[in-house]
C-alpha cells in the first residue's frame, strides 16, 4: 500500500489485498489490486479534509486490518460480517466504547466507498451495530471558576511567553474554543466592528463561529496583542498564537503556529505549577461551559456558544447535579 501524508509525516498503511473476487470478472489480478489501493488512498486523501478525522479513520481501519491478519488470517476484501463483528467485540475489551464506535464508523465509510467505486458488491460492515454507549455526565476534568481564575492569575505577564500563555488559556476558557479552532486563529480573525470586537473561530466540519469578545477576555488578550504586533508579527495573516524562537525567557515569537501538542504542554505546565493536574485543552472548554451553566446560563444558549449541534452534548458539561449529590452524601452518618 502506498504512503499517506499526515501532519507532515509519511504514514505507511499496510493493506494486504487479494486478487479479483470471482463476482467481478472484469477486474483481475494486479489491476484489481491497484484499483483497491488507489481507492483507499482516495478515501483518505480526497474525501476526508480534516487531518484529525483522517488520523482517527486511519487508526480504525489499521486496527481492523491488523486484527484480520493476526487473529483470523483474512485479508481486507475477503472480510464478511462475522469478521467485522468479531473485530468490534475484540476491540471493546481493549479500547473505550467511544473509540470503537468511531473506528467502526470509519470502517463502514471505507467499505461503502469501495461499493460506490464498484470494487466490492456489498459492505460487510453495513449491518454491524455499534456498541451501546450512554453517558449523562462528561468525564473531562473540569476546574471550578475559582481554580480557573487562580490559573490565569498565576501566569507572569513580564514576558511575551507569559502573555501568550495567559491569552491562550483565556481565549479557550472564555470562548469555548476547540483546540483546533484555537490554534487556527489569525490576527485578521480579530474583528472590530461598530465599536465591538469579535473573534472568528473556524471549527470542525468547515463551520465558523463569530464570538463577541467580553470585557474580561479583552483584558487578557489586549496586552498580548500590544506586544505581538511589531515587525514580523505585524502581518494580519500571522497566526495569533505562535511558537517561541527558543526557550529563553525573552525569546521572540516565530511565524510558526502552535500545534495541538504545544497547547497541551502549555496548559499542563501552567496548571501543574499550581497543583492542578490532568487538565487538557478540552478541560478549558469544559470549564467555560460549566461555569456559564453554574452562573445561571441557559442550556440552549450554552449549546449555541459551544457550537454543539445537539444539546445532549452540552448537557455532558452540566455538573450542577453532582454538587447536589455531594451535599447529599455529606449527610450520610
Amino acid at each position: 500500500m502506498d504512503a499517506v501524508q499526515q501532519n507532515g509525516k509519511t504514514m505507511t498503511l499496510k493493506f494486504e489485498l487479494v486478487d479479483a473476487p470471482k463476482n467481478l470478472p472484469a477486474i483481475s489480478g494486479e489491476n484489481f489490486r491497484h484499483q483497491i489501493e488507489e481507492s483507499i488512498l482516495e478515501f483518505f486523501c480526497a474525501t476526508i479534509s480534516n487531518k484529525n478525522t483522517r488520523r482517527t479513520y486511519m487508526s480504525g481501519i489499521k486496527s481492523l486490518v491488523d486484527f484480520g491478519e493476526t487473529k483470523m488470517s483474512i485479508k481486507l476484501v475477503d472480510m464478511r460480517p462475522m469478521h467485522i463483528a468479531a473485530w468490534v467485540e475484540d476491540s471493546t475489551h481493549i479500547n473505550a466504547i467511544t473509540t470503537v464506535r468511531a473506528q467502526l464508523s470509519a470502517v463502514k465509510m471505507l467499505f461503502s466507498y469501495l461499493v460506490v467505486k464498484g470494487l466490492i458488491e456489498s459492505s460487510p460492515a453495513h449491518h454491524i451495530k455499534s456498541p451501546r454507549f450512554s453517558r449523562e455526565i462528561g468525564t473531562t476534568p473540569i476546574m471550578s471558576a475559582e481554580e480557573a481564575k487562580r490559573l490565569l492569575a498565576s501566569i507572569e505577564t513580564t514576558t511575551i511567553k507569559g502573555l501568550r500563555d495567559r491569552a491562550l488559556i483565556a481565549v479557550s476558557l472564555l470562548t469555548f474554543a476547540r483546540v483546533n479552532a484555537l490554534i487556527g486563529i489569525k490576527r485578521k480573525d480579530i474583528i472590530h466592528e461598530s465599536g465591538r470586537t469579535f473573534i472568528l473561530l473556524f471549527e470542525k466540519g468547515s463551520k465558523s463561529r463569530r464570538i463577541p469578545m467580553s470585557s474580561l477576555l479583552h483584558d487578557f488578550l489586549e496586552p498580548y496583542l500590544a506586544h505581538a504586533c511589531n515587525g514580523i508579527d505585524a502581518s494580519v495573516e500571522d497566526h495569533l498564537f505562535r511558537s517561541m524562537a527558543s526557550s529563553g525567557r525573552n525569546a521572540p515569537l516565530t511565524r510558526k503556529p502552535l500545534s495541538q501538542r504545544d497547547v497541551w504542554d502549555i496548559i499542563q505546565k501552567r496548571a501543574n505549577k499550581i497543583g492542578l493536574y490532568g487538565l487538557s485543552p478540552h478541560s478549558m472548554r469544559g470549564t467555560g461551559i460549566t461555569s456559564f451553566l453554574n452562573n445561571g446560563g441557559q442550556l440552549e444558549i450554552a449549546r449555541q456558544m459551544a457550537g454543539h449541534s445537539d444539546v445532549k452534548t452540552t448537557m455532558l458539561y452540566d455538573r450542577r447535579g453532582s454538587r447536589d449529590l455531594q451535599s447529599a452524601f455529606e449527610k450520610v452518618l
Side-chain angles (χ1 to χ4, degrees):
M1 181 75 202
D2 290 337
V4 174
Q5 287 292 325
Q6 176 68 29
N7 292 337
K9 298 180 180 178
T10 299
M11 295 184 66
T12 301
L13 302 178
K14 181 189 175 188
F15 288 115
E16 291 296 335
L17 306 172
V18 296
D19 288 340
K22 294 176 182 177
N23 59 354
L24 290 175
I27 306 174
S28 61
E30 287 302 313
N31 186 35
F32 173 72
R33 179 188 180 91
H34 174 74
Q35 290 194 44
I36 286 282
E37 290 182 345
E38 187 176 75
S39 294
I40 292 175
L41 285 172
E42 283 180 3
F43 172 74
F44 281 113
C45 301
T47 68
I48 306 173
S49 59
N50 186 284
K51 62 182 180 181
N52 296 308
T53 303
R54 188 182 300 132
R55 182 170 57 237
T56 299
Y57 282 17
M58 215 176 272
S59 171
I61 294 164
K62 280 178 62 64
S63 172
L64 174 62
V65 171
D66 291 344
F67 174 82
E69 290 181 354
T70 60
K71 295 191 176 182
M72 306 195 77
S73 300
I74 191 167
K75 298 171 184 177
L76 184 66
V77 294
D78 274 339
M79 289 187 176
R80 298 294 177 263
M82 62 181 179
H83 303 123
I84 310 294
W87 165 69
V88 170
E89 183 174 347
D90 183 76
S91 294
T92 57
H93 299 304
I94 304 170
N95 302 304
I97 295 297
T98 50
T99 300
V100 178
R101 287 170 64 91
Q103 291 185 341
L104 178 58
S105 176
V107 167
K108 287 185 174 185
M109 287 187 67
L110 174 62
F111 278 118
S112 295
Y113 187 76
L114 295 179
V115 170
V116 170
K117 297 286 287 187
L119 295 173
I120 59 175
E121 204 167 62
S122 62
S123 168
H126 182 71
H127 294 293
I128 304 300
K129 293 183 177 180
S130 295
R132 296 186 65 179
F133 173 75
S134 177
R135 186 169 67 200
E136 295 180 356
I137 299 178
T139 57
T140 300
I142 299 295
M143 294 182 289
S144 66
E146 291 72 24
E147 289 172 331
K149 291 174 182 177
R150 184 158 61 92
L151 174 59
L152 289 168
S154 70
I155 303 174
E156 78 282 355
T157 56
T158 57
T159 65
I160 188 64
K161 184 176 183 179
L163 289 170
R164 180 203 63 183
D165 292 0
R166 189 180 70 157
L168 176 80
I169 292 173
V171 172
S172 184
L173 283 167
L174 298 173
T175 69
F176 310 166
R178 295 178 175 89
V179 64
N180 281 336
L182 188 67
I183 61 180
I185 300 173
K186 294 184 177 181
R187 287 290 313 284
K188 67 179 181 180
D189 297 327
I190 308 295
I191 304 167
H192 303 283
E193 186 178 279
S194 302
R196 301 173 66 190
T197 304
F198 300 86
I199 299 179
L200 191 60
L201 299 177
F202 293 93
E203 301 277 12
K204 62 181 182 179
S206 301
K207 297 177 182 178
S208 63
R209 292 194 293 133
R210 187 178 161 109
I211 307 296
M213 188 184 297
S214 66
S215 56
L216 180 60
L217 179 54
H218 179 274
D219 292 342
F220 288 119
L221 191 55
E222 192 59 33
Y224 173 61
L225 289 174
H227 285 78
C229 60
N230 298 311
I232 194 173
D233 306 311
S235 172
V236 294
E237 293 294 335
D238 279 333
H239 284 81
L240 183 62
F241 298 115
R242 303 188 299 283
S243 62
M244 313 299 294
S246 68
S247 58
R249 180 176 176 81
N250 296 308
L253 295 170
T254 70
R255 282 193 182 277
K256 181 182 178 182
L258 294 177
S259 66
Q260 284 192 36
R261 182 70 261 172
D262 292 332
V263 177
W264 274 77
D265 290 342
I266 288 169
I267 288 172
Q268 292 192 340
K269 180 180 178 180
R270 296 294 184 179
N272 291 354
K273 193 173 181 180
I274 61 169
L276 299 175
Y277 301 100
L279 299 181
S280 68
H282 201 65
S283 297
M284 304 300 105
R285 173 173 161 85
T287 295
I289 297 171
T290 301
S291 179
F292 173 78
L293 292 171
N294 285 338
N295 287 334
Q298 297 180 17
L299 194 60
E300 175 57 26
I301 299 299
R303 182 196 69 77
Q304 296 177 34
M305 294 169 69
H308 289 146
S309 58
D310 191 334
V311 73
K312 291 181 180 179
T313 305
T314 315
M315 290 172 65
L316 296 174
Y317 298 96
D318 190 353
R319 309 292 173 88
R320 289 171 291 185
S322 62
R323 293 188 301 171
D324 295 337
L325 281 175
Q326 177 69 38
S327 299
F329 276 103
E330 293 293 346
K331 298 177 183 178
V332 178
L333 296 183

